[in-house]
Amino acid sequence: MADTQSKIKEIENILSPVAENENMELVDVQYLKEAGDWVLRIFIDKENGVNMDDCAQASRAFEASLDESDILKDSYVLEVSSPGIDRVLKTEKDFKRFAGSKIKVRTFNPINNQKNFLGEICSCNDGKVIINDVTKGEVEIEITEIKKANLEADI
């Protein structure tokens, strides 16, 4: 798993500038084995959202950069898509952009005996996000303590 995580970091380092060149944001990268095949799943976004043409354009650009870098030795399936309504949040920039939005957070370690939080993003500064959790009220969480954070759709 740690090996896969370092591979994902390398892929992100290669593809982030490519996404920026395409006026897009690299939101998330997943590299996993499914049904015996390696799958590289890349989620992109831009100001007004992405469409199928954006995904196809990014896919071509990503494929060219990955081939040139020769980082992936095994054959793989490349999937490029929008992050969807339950978009993952990873960076301080992400949390600031979606301030006021509903979020679901899972932490590595308990904070006040709780690892799962659901609430609205109040603010984010200095590597810490403050959410108004539905059960605990205002909670401050270090971004480095966040195992997973996703926007929560109001359905």
Side-chain angles (χ1 to χ4, degrees), residues 24-149:
M24 296 178 198
E25 172 191 3
L26 186 68
V27 174
D28 196 22
V29 173
Q30 299 172 354
Y31 184 58
L32 48 139
K33 208 161 207 163
E34 290 182 353
D37 295 321
W38 282 102
V39 177
L40 177 58
R41 201 167 282 133
I42 301 171
F43 298 91
I44 57 170
D45 205 359
K46 64 181 190 182
E47 184 95 16
N48 296 315
V50 294
N51 58 35
M52 292 296 284
D53 290 338
D54 295 324
C55 291
Q57 176 185 336
S59 181
R60 286 189 296 274
F62 291 157
E63 188 171 31
S65 291
L66 289 167
D67 287 349
E68 186 179 305
S69 75
D70 202 30
I71 186 174
L72 300 173
K73 304 298 182 198
D74 298 310
S75 64
Y76 62 94
V77 175
L78 176 63
E79 296 177 2
V80 178
S81 67
S82 145
I85 58 174
D86 60 347
R87 176 196 163 115
V88 67
L89 304 181
K90 290 181 161 184
T91 65
E92 189 167 321
K93 181 181 170 187
D94 292 339
F95 290 103
K96 285 180 176 180
R97 175 178 172 192
F98 291 100
S101 299
K102 199 171 184 184
I103 185 174
K104 188 187 304 184
V105 176
R106 184 178 324 133
T107 58
F108 289 108
N109 299 298
I111 298 171
N112 299 331
N113 299 319
Q114 186 174 330
K115 288 174 88 171
N116 295 300
F117 301 89
L118 177 65
E120 187 176 296
I121 301 171
C122 298
S123 65
C124 183
N125 289 301
D126 302 321
K128 298 173 186 158
V129 62
I130 297 174
I131 67 168
N132 187 10
D133 181 64
V134 293
T135 58
K136 296 276 187 182
E138 217 169 83
V139 179
E140 182 179 271
I141 304 170
E142 297 270 349
I143 292 174
T144 56
E145 266 303 304
I146 295 175
K147 183 175 188 174
K148 187 173 184 184

